[in-house]
Amino acid sequence: MVNYRRLEETRDDFSSAMARHSGDETRVYKTVGDEKLRISLYYPRDYDPARRYPLLVCVHGGGWASRKVFPDQEEWAGDYLGFLARRYAERGCLCASIDYRLMRGDGKTPGYELIDLYEDCADAADYLRAHADELGIDRQRTAVLGESAGGYLAAALVTLPIRDHSFFRTAILANPITDLFDPRWGARVADESAHPVLSALSGPEKRALLSPVCHITEETCPTLLLHGACDGVVFPFHALKYHDLLAACGREARLELIENTGHAFMLAEYVLEGGRSLSALECGVRAIDEWLAARGF
């Protein structure tokens, strides 16, 4: 289903969640050289690890090359989407915000290619899976949410045939990059790579392997897509193509195109700082609320 959502008067208040954008606990899930990669956990108010909670994992964007540490953080403890992790923790979910290596040399530097970022996120998901009983995760209610470049990584986690992608039962993709044959983003895939998965492949074969839209099947998890109708950074065809392929496979797919809206509308901090429409953020959050509620979150 494709829905064109009109902007409405803002009724929700995100200030409490935005003020508490840092996680309650931050763990190192992986070390690469001297770099510690972290996962921040947001606990429900009544948190008891003996119980079982739905899990929502957030993957930040930033063009694969940047992250944001807020002034009140000494180090990374939840990024651009931390306010959403807090919002849904307050509603009874166990939430996690994951960090990953940042791309170097426009994706041409060994160890800092797009596939390395994807593998970091897959390792973070494996960490949560391995600690599911300790943390109180309900394995039947698991969702991954990503925005922009993080939307790509979230989509990759539930589609690419490189690693197991059965952990997440649903995905929420905001302004996602899904097709690396788009020259703007495909240029970040190195034609020559020493990575063992990619080394024997041609440039087009690499982009096909790493493009989520090339791996949608009858087993791909149900997906909510959100996209600004006027997004000039990641064009809406990325979400439309993913939606249409998923629907063609008989899988549940919903795309919300938000009118008069460009990129990064899900980032509350940027919305407030840049004077952008808060109602676009609320449209997206309402759609997420409905999607998760229908799945018992």
Side-chain angles (χ1 to χ4, degrees), residues 67-227:
R67 64 170 67 88
K68 187 171 184 178
V69 176
F70 295 105
D72 61 337
Q73 297 173 329
E74 294 183 2
E75 59 185 17
W76 190 89
D79 207 282
Y80 298 82
L81 300 176
F83 84 98
L84 279 180
R86 178 62 62 195
R87 173 188 172 87
Y88 290 106
E90 291 178 347
R91 295 183 170 214
C93 292
L94 173 62
C95 296
S97 181
I98 61 177
D99 197 16
Y100 48 87
R101 273 174 284 183
L102 299 180
M103 186 179 282
R104 298 181 185 177
D106 288 332
K108 312 302 192 298
T109 302
Y112 298 90
E113 299 176 29
L114 182 56
I115 191 170
D116 299 302
L117 281 55
Y118 157 75
E119 289 188 334
D120 290 344
C121 293
D123 286 337
D126 285 347
Y127 179 93
L128 291 167
R129 190 196 323 243
H131 291 81
D133 292 340
E134 170 206 337
L135 292 169
I137 294 171
D138 181 348
R139 297 170 187 266
Q140 303 306 310
R141 293 182 293 166
T142 53
V144 60
L145 183 157
E147 188 271 341
S148 187
Y152 165 82
L153 292 167
L157 287 174
V158 299
T159 57
L160 298 194
I162 300 171
R163 299 274 291 269
D164 175 73
H165 48 75
S166 64
F167 181 56
F168 294 109
R169 299 305 180 95
T170 189
I172 301 164
L173 311 178
N175 295 329
I177 300 161
T178 67
D179 186 351
L180 296 177
F181 287 96
D182 177 348
R184 175 177 295 193
W185 303 107
R188 307 288 183 89
V189 179
D191 285 331
E192 301 293 333
S193 172
H195 191 285
V197 173
L198 302 180
S199 60
L201 303 180
S202 67
E205 288 171 335
K206 291 181 178 70
R207 288 187 284 277
L209 178 62
L210 296 175
S211 289
V213 292
C214 293
H215 305 289
I216 293 173
T217 71
E218 293 81 2
E219 297 181 353
T220 304
C221 66
T223 302
L224 169 67
L225 298 115
L226 311 167
H227 218 107

Side-chain angles (χ1 to χ4, degrees), residues 15-37:
S15 58
S16 174
M18 285 190 289
R20 302 175 63 216
H21 53 231
S22 294
D24 299 308
E25 179 186 1
T26 298
R27 302 182 179 188
V28 174
Y29 72 86
K30 179 179 180 180
T31 300
V32 181
D34 295 329
E35 184 176 6
K36 293 180 170 59
L37 300 178

Side-chain angles (χ1 to χ4, degrees), residues 2 13 31 40 61 116 125 255 274 280:
V2 178
D13 181 6
T31 300
S40 290
D116 299 302
L255 169 58

Side-chain angles (χ1 to χ4, degrees), residues 1-78:
M1 177 180 71
V2 178
N3 181 42
Y4 191 81
R5 190 175 286 243
R6 298 191 177 280
L7 299 177
E8 301 173 2
E9 182 180 353
T10 301
R11 298 194 300 269
D12 209 342
D13 181 6
F14 300 100
S15 58
S16 174
M18 285 190 289
R20 302 175 63 216
H21 53 231
S22 294
D24 299 308
E25 179 186 1
T26 298
R27 302 182 179 188
V28 174
Y29 72 86
K30 179 179 180 180
T31 300
V32 181
D34 295 329
E35 184 176 6
K36 293 180 170 59
L37 300 178
R38 295 177 170 86
I39 184 166
S40 290
L41 301 169
Y42 297 71
Y43 296 124
R45 291 176 180 174
D46 62 345
Y47 180 61
D48 176 358
R51 296 174 56 185
R52 290 293 174 262
Y53 299 89
L55 172 70
L56 175 64
V57 176
C58 296
V59 188
H60 70 80
W64 298 315
S66 67
R67 64 170 67 88
K68 187 171 184 178
V69 176
F70 295 105
D72 61 337
Q73 297 173 329
E74 294 183 2
E75 59 185 17
W76 190 89

